[in-house]
Amino acid sequence: MSDRNLAHLLVLAAAALAACGESTGPNPGPSLNCGQIQPTSLSPGGFAITDPTSQSACVAVPGAPAAGGSGAEHLYLAVATAGAEVEGGITATYQITGSSTAATADLGALPSPLVSAFRGPATAAQFHRLLRERERALSQDPVHRLFGAREGRSPAPSFAAAPAVGSQKSFFVCTNTSCTSFVTVDATAKVVASKVAIYLDNSTTGDPRYAPPANGFTDTELQDVARVFDDYLYPIDTLNFARESDIDVNGVVQVLLTPRINALSGSCNTTGSVILGYFFALDLLSDPNSNNGEVFYSLVPDPLSNSCTVSKGFARENLAPTFVHEFQHMISYAQHAIFRTGDSEDTWLNEGLSHYAEELAGRLVPDTAGQQPGEMYTQYALSNYLNAYEYLSNPEATFLISPSLTQGTLAERGANWLFVRWAADEFGTTTENLSQFRVRGTDFTRKLVQTQLNGAANVATQSGEAFSNLVPQWQMANYLDDLPGFTPSSSRLQYLTLDLRAQFASLHDQDPTNFPCRVGAAPGACPEEAKYPLYPDSTRVTYSRTGTLRQGSGRHVRIIQDAGAAAVQFRLLGSSATPISATAVPRIGLVRIR
C-alpha cells in the first residue's frame, strides 16, 4: 500500500559496530584535541571517512597555499550508521564546532516549514508499517516457521488450477488499521489471467455508489489492469526480486477489490491520506483468519462518499502502482520467512525495495498511445519524489533505519527509496535490457531478497562493503549528485542512472507548491540551485551546531575557503564535550568539492 498525493499527477522527464566504545584502562580513546590533527589533503573529487570513536573527533582541511589560487570548498558530514532496527531507534546527541583564524559564521538557511506543511497525516504509512511489524512477529513464531517450511511452494506446479471467471470465494478482510479483527467478504472472480485473478466484492453489485460504468470498475477496465499485471508488473517484480510462493497451488495471485479497504481510511477527505491496498503475510500462514493463499487487497471507486471520496480515475490510476509495491512485500516475506524460515526483512529495507519496485515500473512500463512522454514514470514514481523531497529537505530529522514499534513517516519512505536506488546502481552489474525488464541493479536486488539476512547486514553482505562506509558515501551522493562543477573521484558520490537535481528542478517548475523553492523566492524567480531540497549549512570561518544524529542520517556542512585562507578544524563531540556515543556508530565524511 502506498500513500499517494490526491492532487494532480505531474509529468516527470523520464531518466535514475565496528566502533570502540568509551575507553577504560590503558586505551586512551579518541583524541579530542584538534591541535594534534594533521590536515586531510584531498584532491578535488576525493573523499575520506573516519571513525570519531576510535580515531579522532577532529578533521582539518588545509589552508593556503593548499587551498589554491581560487580557494577551496569541502563537504563535511556527521552521520550515524548503526544498522540494527530497534524500538525507538538509535540516536546520538552531537556538538559540531569549526574554527579558523576568523571569528564569524555563515550559516545556511534552516529547512522551509513548507516541507512538512504540504503533506497530510500519514494514515496509510502508519497502517503499512504496522503490517510489517506484525509480519516480523509472525515470522519469528516457531509454529508459523514450521508451517512455512512445509507449505511454501515456488514456482507453482504445472497442475495448478486457477479459479474460473464467475466463481465465488469468501475472504477474511481486516476491519481496522491494526488488523486485529476481520470480516468475511464474498466476492466473484471477474477476470482471470495467466498470473492474476481479480475478485470484486459482491456487496458492490447493484449498489449505486459502486455501480459501473459511472462509479465502478467495468469488466473491460479490470481486464486492462490484469493485462498490465501479466505483461509488465509480474515480470518486473519476479525478475528483479524473486518468485512468489504458491501456498494455495492455483498458479495466480488473487486481487480482492472491496469497499472494506475504503473504510480503513476513515475520513480521508479530512486527513488527505488514503489506504490504497495492502498485502498481509498472515494469508501465507496457518491461522483462523488466513486466506491461505497469495492475496492483495485494494479499494474500489466511491465518488459519492462524503467522508472519503475516491474517483474511478484515482482508484484505477493507483491500483497498478500499489500492486507492484505490495507484490514485492509478498515476494520478500515468502523468500525470507517461508522458503528460508528466517525473519521477515527489516521494515526500512523492505519498504525501500517496494518503493524501488514502483520506480522500476515507471521506467519499464511503456507509455501507451496518446499519452504524454513520461506519463507512466509519473504514475508509478511521483510519490517517491514527494517522499524524497521531504527527506532531503532536512535529513538530520529523519531515520533511514526506521525504528521498530513506531508509526513511520513518509520522509522515512523517501530515505528508504533513495538508499536502495543508490545501492542498486552502485553494486548492480546486470547488463541493461529494458525489453526484458532488467536494469543495472537487477542482480543486486535479487541478492537482497533471496536470502535469510536482514537489513544492514544484508546490504553489507551483498555489497561487500561495511554499512558504516555505505551510509556516509550515500549521504555524500545525496548532495553531490550532478552538482555543477564537481567531478567525483568515485561513482559512490553519484546516483549513476538518476539525475536528482534535474528531476527536482523539473518538479519545482511544474508544481512549486509541493516542491517549493528552498530560499522562498517569488514564483518564477527561484535560482536553479535553490530548487534542490538538500541545503547544507555553510561556513567560511567558524561554525557551531548541536543536534541529534539518527540512524542512517546526519548533518551536511560546506566548508568554504577563499584564496589564502587559513586551515579549518572541525570537531564532533557528544553532549557536555564528551566523546560522541559509539552506540550510534558515528562516522565523519569529508569530500573536497573544488
Side-chain angles (χ1 to χ4, degrees):
M1 157 225 46
S2 305
D3 188 74
R4 296 181 179 274
N5 193 294
L6 294 175
H8 173 64
L9 289 177
L10 309 173
V11 176
L12 285 165
L17 208 319
C20 300
E22 295 185 14
S23 59
T24 59
N27 187 346
S31 171
L32 304 183
N33 184 353
C34 289
Q36 301 174 356
I37 299 303
Q38 293 297 313
T40 301
S41 296
L42 299 170
S43 299
F47 71 95
I49 297 170
T50 59
D51 178 354
T53 66
S54 65
Q55 295 167 276
S56 174
C58 304
V59 297
V61 298
S70 60
E73 181 178 345
H74 291 75
L75 178 69
Y76 173 92
L77 297 162
V79 295
T81 71
E85 193 172 78
V86 300
E87 183 176 355
I90 299 173
T91 62
T93 57
Y94 74 81
Q95 302 176 28
I96 300 175
T97 55
S99 63
S100 70
T101 57
T104 58
D106 173 25
L107 296 182
L110 294 176
S112 166
L114 291 175
V115 170
S116 297
F118 73 82
R119 307 301 303 279
T123 303
Q126 295 167 10
F127 170 69
H128 204 152
R129 180 165 184 81
L130 182 145
L131 292 182
R132 304 290 82 82
E133 297 285 354
R134 291 278 304 279
E135 288 172 357
R136 171 55 62 89
L138 290 170
S139 69
Q140 294 173 339
D141 185 292
V143 174
H144 288 141
R145 281 189 169 174
L146 177 63
F147 175 82
R150 185 177 68 249
E151 299 296 331
R153 302 180 179 95
S154 179
S158 58
F159 56 82
V165 173
S167 61
Q168 303 290 303
K169 185 169 182 175
S170 296
F171 295 86
F172 295 109
V173 182
C174 297
T175 60
N176 56 37
T177 54
S178 59
C179 276
T180 54
S181 64
F182 298 81
V183 65
T184 300
V185 168
D186 296 322
T188 301
K190 291 292 186 178
V191 178
V192 179
S194 62
K195 297 298 183 183
V196 65
I198 301 178
Y199 287 83
L200 186 61
D201 188 330
N202 290 344
S203 70
T204 64
T205 303
D207 189 323
R209 291 176 298 170
Y210 317 113
N215 300 330
F217 289 129
T218 66
D219 289 351
T220 299
E221 289 168 334
L222 295 180
Q223 288 164 1
D224 288 342
V225 171
R227 177 187 56 80
V228 169
F229 178 72
D230 267 13
D231 294 349
Y232 301 110
L233 305 186
Y234 184 87
I236 286 170
D237 269 343
T238 55
L239 285 170
N240 286 282
F241 303 109
R243 283 293 304 272
E244 79 282 17
S245 57
D246 190 22
I247 298 299
D248 48 10
V249 200
N250 65 5
V252 295
V253 176
Q254 299 164 94
V255 175
L256 174 63
L257 304 177
T258 171
R260 290 288 182 176
I261 306 306
N262 301 56
L264 293 175
S265 295
S267 183
C268 75
N269 290 353
T270 300
T271 65
S273 183
V274 182
I275 294 174
L276 299 169
Y278 68 89
F279 155 75
F280 188 22
L282 188 73
D283 285 331
L284 304 184
L285 302 170
S286 178
D287 187 273
N289 295 308
S290 171
N291 288 303
N292 296 304
E294 291 68 27
V295 184
F296 161 65
Y297 308 85
S298 193
L299 47 63
V300 296
D302 190 2
L304 303 181
S305 173
N306 293 322
S307 60
C308 190
T309 306
V310 177
S311 70
K312 182 193 287 191
F314 177 81
R316 183 176 179 182
E317 193 168 54
N318 285 289
L319 180 56
T322 305
F323 188 92
V324 77
H325 179 115
E326 295 301 321
F327 191 33
Q328 191 286 136
H329 286 316
M330 185 185 293
I331 290 169
S332 176
Y333 191 87
Q335 292 291 328
H336 283 81
I338 294 180
F339 300 142
R340 294 173 177 84
T341 63
D343 291 349
S344 63
E345 182 56 273
D346 283 3
T347 297
W348 75 270
L349 184 54
N350 203 348
E351 290 297 348
L353 289 164
S354 280
H355 282 285
Y356 179 69
E358 294 179 33
E359 196 226 341
L360 281 177
R363 284 193 266 167
L364 299 174
V365 176
D367 294 326
T368 58
Q371 292 180 329
Q372 300 181 60
E375 190 159 339
M376 288 296 98
Y377 195 66
T378 298
Q379 180 180 349
Y380 287 94
L382 179 61
S383 67
N384 289 332
Y385 284 92
L386 285 164
N387 297 341
Y389 188 95
E390 190 164 345
Y391 173 71
L392 292 174
S393 296
N394 191 2
E396 181 187 323
T398 300
F399 290 90
L400 166 67
I401 312 298
S402 313
S404 63
L405 302 181
T406 61
Q407 294 179 332
T409 68
L410 295 173
E412 286 175 4
R413 300 284 197 92
N416 301 157
W417 169 62
L418 285 170
F419 183 86
V420 170
R421 184 64 166 85
W422 172 82
D425 269 3
E426 292 299 327
F427 300 104
T429 61
T430 301
T431 300
E432 276 201 351
N433 185 335
L434 302 188
S435 66
Q436 295 297 315
F437 310 110
R438 291 179 172 86
V439 299
R440 179 184 177 92
T442 295
D443 58 331
F444 183 69
T445 52
R446 286 182 66 84
K447 291 176 185 176
L448 290 175
V449 174
Q450 298 180 56
T451 179
Q452 196 177 42
L453 298 171
N454 302 121
N458 189 4
V459 174
T461 298
Q462 312 310 342
S463 68
E465 179 100 29
F467 196 67
S468 57
N469 285 334
L470 294 175
V471 169
Q473 291 169 6
W474 168 61
Q475 288 292 1
M476 292 173 188
N478 283 338
Y479 177 68
L480 298 171
D481 184 56
D482 293 291
L483 180 69
F486 175 69
T487 303
S489 63
S490 167
S491 67
R492 301 288 178 85
L493 306 185
Q494 300 278 282
Y495 284 77
L496 294 181
T497 63
L498 178 64
D499 186 338
L500 280 177
R501 289 181 183 274
Q503 293 286 40
F504 281 118
S506 173
L507 286 165
H508 167 81
D509 292 343
Q510 296 174 78
D511 185 2
T513 299
N514 281 340
F515 298 92
C517 184
R518 194 182 61 212
V519 296
C526 185
E528 284 299 309
E529 66 272 15
K531 297 175 182 178
Y532 193 67
L534 181 52
Y535 187 29
D537 287 347
S538 64
T539 180
R540 293 181 182 274
V541 280
T542 62
Y543 179 80
S544 177
R545 189 176 186 95
T546 60
T548 301
L549 300 183
R550 294 168 174 82
Q551 289 175 269
S553 297
R555 197 75 195 171
H556 297 65
V557 185
R558 294 165 62 213
I559 303 172
I560 303 171
Q561 294 170 289
D562 296 325
V568 177
Q569 299 170 330
F570 264 57
R571 181 167 64 174
L572 176 65
L573 299 175
S575 58
S576 303
T578 58
I580 191 167
S581 170
T583 304
V585 195
R587 291 293 184 268
I588 297 171
L590 187 69
V591 187
R592 184 169 178 182
I593 296 176
R594 58 176 175 86

